[in-house]
Amino acid sequence: MRLVSYRPLFAASALMMALFGAITLAVFSGGETPARAVTRWTVEVNTEGFNPRQCNIVRNDEVEFKNTSNQPIRVFHPEIGGAPAVFDETLAAGATSSALGFNFGGTYVVESGLGHSVTIFNPNTGPGTPGCSKEAPTPSPTPTGTATPTATPKPPMPAKCTWNGCAVAVGLASDGD
């Protein structure tokens, strides 16, 4: 009578399942973007325009608008084709708008009722590099004069030298012996 051993068959099938699992993990788990917290950016608006005028954000970030002037300002995102604006708020002096979320890529222009605009860029692919920080005041402050280095004084001439480029002789010291 012959005994059949199934151990090699089970070992081979276990090895194949482990290999298949490793390939599945490598293929299907590497392309996802890790979850991160939503960043809320603040863009200031006043009678002179938006600050900053260009805002780079990443997916799922939010942008809110703060009126820094002393009068009400309308802030809106116009739609193409005459459709009503998706975002349209009139901000009282010192007020902050509700957050405008961006969960898809593109370039968006938000305008004020005074004719100014801010461009908000959200990349179509990848996380991008955010940058929505305040700009320096316009016009920029007048720069102050910078100190210029003074001319280097000429080195003193050797004693008893009356002409340019006096030769210097090398002397040997002795103690008298």
Side-chain angles (χ1 to χ4, degrees), residues 71-171:
Q71 69 182 36
I73 297 178
R74 177 180 175 227
V75 178
F76 62 97
H77 172 60
E79 286 297 316
I80 298 173
V86 174
F87 178 80
D88 190 352
E89 293 185 20
T90 300
L91 304 175
T96 302
S97 71
S98 60
L100 181 60
F102 294 89
N103 56 3
F104 42 87
T107 301
Y108 306 92
V109 177
V110 176
E111 298 179 3
S112 73
L114 301 173
H116 304 104
S117 64
V118 58
T119 303
I120 300 171
F121 176 70
N122 189 4
N124 290 318
T125 58
T129 303
C132 194
S133 303
K134 276 181 69 172
E135 296 176 9
T138 305
S140 59
T142 306
T144 58
T146 55
T148 57
T150 58
T152 307
K154 290 182 180 180
M157 295 182 63
K160 298 183 182 176
C161 179
T162 57
W163 54 279
N164 193 7
C166 292
V168 178
V170 177

Side-chain angles (χ1 to χ4, degrees), residues 40-100:
R40 182 171 289 180
W41 300 96
T42 301
V43 176
E44 294 181 352
V45 60
N46 57 32
T47 56
E48 297 177 6
F50 289 93
N51 188 5
R53 292 168 289 175
Q54 172 73 32
C55 188
N56 297 322
I57 61 173
V58 296
R59 294 289 172 92
N60 298 322
D61 278 359
E62 297 175 341
V63 177
E64 63 185 8
F65 301 92
K66 181 177 183 179
N67 184 354
T68 58
S69 72
N70 56 3
Q71 69 182 36
I73 297 178
R74 177 180 175 227
V75 178
F76 62 97
H77 172 60
E79 286 297 316
I80 298 173
V86 174
F87 178 80
D88 190 352
E89 293 185 20
T90 300
L91 304 175
T96 302
S97 71
S98 60
L100 181 60

